[in-house]
Amino acid sequence: FQHYIDKFIPSGHVFDHCIVYFEYDSSSYWVDATYSYQGGDFKSMTTYDYQRALVVKPNQDSLVSMNLVDSVSMSSLVEILDASSYSDPASLKVHTTLSGNRADFTRQLLEYYSTKDLAEIYRHGYGIVYPSLYEESKIRVSDDPNLNVMKVDESYTIPEIWDGEMEGYDGKWVLSYEPTAVYGYFVSMNCEKTKHPVLFEYPSRLSQTTRIILPETISAADELKEYDNAAFKFTKRLRTTDDNKVEFKYSYLGKTKEVSSEDFVDVCHDMNEIMNNLPTVIYFPKNKPEVDFSNLPIDVYQLKIKKRPLKLEDSPFYIVTVEDKRKKSGEIIGLVNAGVYNKPAIAIAENGLEIKLGEYLIENQEVPEEGIALKFMIKEFFISEKKESRGEKAILNFKYEFSYVIDGKEYVSVYSDIITADGVDVTGKHEENIRKSLSQALGSLTPDDFVINN
């Protein structure tokens, strides 16, 4: 409507609202005196962008562009989800800061509804994801009208947040996380070209940080996903901040109040993809190999395999099963020479070597469109350390067997090597060596390397 108002005949039905326009210190300002419960001063007050207006003053007979830029309105959330126990209830703390028109809207809301009603609105959003959630303490709302900033603090308890019976996750503890505030900015729909432009909420800006404390160490690859289209810019980041802590960061910036029918199809596809990827499932195996640490040497450390994609160049092979045929128990990789003290140490792979490497290989490999499915067998896998005058060396000895079956015949290839890395961070070099060995073993394979297993 605002785009075509220049073509309208002047009428009281078109110009049915009056606001204030004035100039101060070489800047122009628009203030809507009918907008109740606004905070801030005239420099920061937000006004609905009517886009075109008639300034009532002598010799003014044409419309002018309002050219409003809202740089203050924003919702900023910080969630702390402590899910560090499988059996005890989890706690969820939410700290929200509202500024600009978001603070104005909440201030208006509290004029008609009680704080208890507002608490129920907020609780309902989280209750959809966590039905057992209840308030641990009453919601706290603080308001600074001069700065036009409102702060809302929420505190919840979530019993049985870890699901031990979720379908498709047998034998695992499962936590489902969803950023409920982010859902308010997107909607899933059929992506068809529309006849008319599509409206979007504008201005609109969100920043959300969620930190989750877990009961066990987690290895998760850092993730960054960005969308930038005609309607909005959206970013999702995931990273581990500690052994048992993960952090999600979301940012949303609305770019316009309407999108053309031509641009909407691409915007719609982005929204659907974002909606599909917002839920996150975190899980841990229930039954893990037990290690009696009391009988182990003093120099004991855990070795993690970080979940980063294997670097394979045009390999036609991919892994479908992993087996560990060594005589050693699955959780122990090998004895380690602990330098000048000549004390043996043991490196332990969390959740068992077979499980950890199996998950890593299957979940992080590059799968070709047309490839050969392999069984990956660990025949030998041993790490050791050597201390020299120039520093320490992390050494990996390994032997892998690859096999596949075609027309009832099994084809086998054996790959072995020794990889050495220098460095002070020996445990990190062991992890680097393992990744290097896997990349080399898989990446160098060709069909000519296989022979028929008699």
Side-chain angles (χ1 to χ4, degrees):
F1 176 81
Q2 289 94 338
H3 294 303
Y4 307 103
I5 197 169
D6 286 307
K7 299 179 180 180
F8 283 43
I9 297 175
S11 165
H13 296 291
V14 176
F15 297 95
D16 61 351
H17 189 58
C18 183
I19 62 177
V20 176
Y21 168 83
F22 63 94
E23 297 176 358
Y24 174 78
D25 199 16
S26 301
S27 297
S28 301
Y29 296 93
W30 303 83
V31 177
D32 190 342
T34 67
Y35 196 159
S36 303
Y37 308 108
Q38 274 193 293
D41 58 18
F42 68 88
K43 293 182 179 180
S44 61
M45 284 182 175
T46 59
T47 301
Y48 181 79
D49 186 6
Y50 298 98
Q51 295 189 359
R52 307 283 280 161
L54 176 65
V55 177
V56 181
K57 65 179 183 179
N59 302 319
Q60 183 71 46
D61 59 359
S62 61
L63 301 179
V64 298
S65 296
M66 295 180 68
N67 293 325
L68 291 179
V69 178
D70 184 352
S71 59
V72 298
S73 298
M74 186 173 187
S75 298
S76 179
L77 286 81
V78 176
E79 298 178 339
I80 309 295
L81 176 59
D82 187 345
S84 56
S85 172
Y86 291 126
S87 56
D88 297 335
S91 70
L92 174 62
K93 311 290 185 184
V94 186
H95 310 282
T96 304
T97 301
L98 305 167
S99 57
N101 63 12
R102 306 314 302 165
D104 295 336
F105 173 77
T106 306
R107 198 175 291 116
Q108 294 170 18
L109 197 66
L110 287 173
E111 186 66 20
Y112 296 96
Y113 298 95
S114 66
T115 304
K116 183 179 179 180
D117 294 329
L118 181 67
E120 182 58 27
I121 294 172
Y122 279 57
R123 190 206 64 78
H124 177 73
Y126 288 108
I128 295 175
V129 181
Y130 308 112
S132 63
L133 173 142
Y134 63 87
E135 272 192 327
E136 182 179 309
S137 59
K138 291 184 178 180
I139 191 173
R140 298 197 308 270
V141 180
S142 60
D143 186 9
D144 187 336
N146 292 326
L147 295 178
N148 199 20
V149 173
M150 295 192 74
K151 295 184 178 182
V152 182
D153 291 330
E154 306 160 73
S155 181
Y156 303 103
T157 296
I158 311 174
E160 300 179 352
I161 193 171
W162 288 97
D163 187 345
E165 305 296 333
M166 182 177 288
E167 184 177 353
Y169 292 89
D170 296 339
K172 295 180 174 63
W173 291 108
V174 182
L175 183 152
S176 298
Y177 165 70
E178 300 185 44
T180 57
V182 178
Y183 280 110
Y185 294 80
F186 304 104
V187 61
S188 296
M189 60 179 67
N190 293 326
C191 298
E192 299 177 353
K193 189 175 180 179
T194 60
K195 294 182 179 179
H196 306 287
V198 179
L199 297 179
F200 282 79
E201 183 179 351
Y202 179 82
S204 187
R205 184 179 298 153
L206 170 73
S207 172
Q208 176 172 331
T209 299
T210 301
R211 302 184 180 98
I212 304 178
I213 306 171
L214 302 167
E216 299 184 41
T217 298
I218 186 171
S219 295
D222 292 351
E223 176 187 325
L224 172 62
K225 190 68 175 177
E226 294 180 306
Y227 299 83
D228 194 352
N229 54 47
F232 60 80
K233 183 176 182 179
F234 177 74
T235 303
K236 173 187 175 182
R237 299 175 186 269
L238 165 64
R239 68 186 184 103
T240 55
T241 59
D242 207 339
D243 283 347
N244 68 325
K245 297 176 183 177
V246 293
E247 180 182 81
F248 295 86
K249 280 184 174 290
Y250 306 91
S251 66
Y252 176 91
L253 175 64
K255 297 166 68 173
T256 182
K257 65 170 56 178
E258 68 176 44
V259 174
S260 68
S261 58
E262 291 79 10
D263 289 334
F264 176 71
V265 175
D266 290 337
V267 173
C268 179
H269 284 305
D270 282 351
M271 288 197 299
N272 286 344
E273 183 175 320
I274 291 169
M275 289 286 284
N276 290 334
N277 292 319
L278 283 180
T280 300
V281 175
I282 301 173
Y283 62 87
F284 295 98
K286 285 186 177 180
N287 301 312
K288 293 174 285 296
E290 294 294 334
V291 180
D292 185 3
F293 287 92
S294 62
N295 295 326
L296 295 179
I298 296 175
D299 300 289
V300 176
Y301 59 82
Q302 290 184 325
L303 185 63
K304 296 184 295 183
I305 306 298
K306 297 179 181 177
K307 290 189 176 181
R308 296 174 183 166
L310 288 171
K311 295 180 179 179
L312 308 180
E313 294 183 2
D314 301 324
S315 173
F317 301 102
Y318 62 99
I319 305 296
V320 290
T321 60
V322 178
E323 293 184 8
D324 187 354
K325 291 301 182 183
R326 301 166 309 142
K327 294 181 179 180
K328 295 183 178 67
S329 57
E331 68 272 17
I332 298 177
I333 293 179
L335 297 178
V336 176
N337 186 333
V340 295
Y341 300 103
N342 200 29
K343 294 180 180 179
I346 294 178
I348 299 171
E350 297 175 292
N351 304 337
L353 177 61
E354 179 181 350
I355 297 174
K356 200 66 178 180
L357 282 183
E359 289 182 352
Y360 173 77
L361 280 168
I362 293 173
E363 294 177 5
N364 293 275
Q365 64 187 319
E366 297 176 357
V367 179
E369 292 184 3
E370 295 182 1
I372 301 174
L374 296 178
K375 179 170 72 174
F376 178 87
M377 182 184 295
I378 304 167
K379 297 180 73 71
E380 295 179 13
F381 202 94
F382 185 84
I383 65 171
S384 60
E385 297 170 8
K386 185 177 180 181
K387 193 160 188 175
E388 299 177 341
S389 58
R390 297 180 180 178
E392 290 183 293
K393 291 183 179 294
I395 305 168
L396 173 67
N397 298 263
F398 60 90
K399 181 182 288 185
Y400 306 138
E401 180 180 287
F402 305 92
S403 63
Y404 63 90
V405 176
I406 294 181
D407 297 330
K409 296 181 180 180
E410 183 181 35
Y411 294 81
V412 177
S413 177
V414 177
Y415 185 91
S416 61
D417 201 355
I418 298 176
I419 293 180
T420 302
D422 299 319
V424 177
D425 180 15
V426 179
T427 57
K429 292 300 179 181
H430 281 313
E431 189 269 340
E432 178 183 303
N433 280 347
I434 292 171
R435 191 188 315 283
K436 187 176 180 180
S437 77
L438 295 172
S439 296
Q440 288 183 0
L442 287 169
S444 64
L445 277 180
T446 68
D448 294 336
D449 295 323
F450 289 82
V451 296
I452 296 177
N453 185 13
N454 296 320

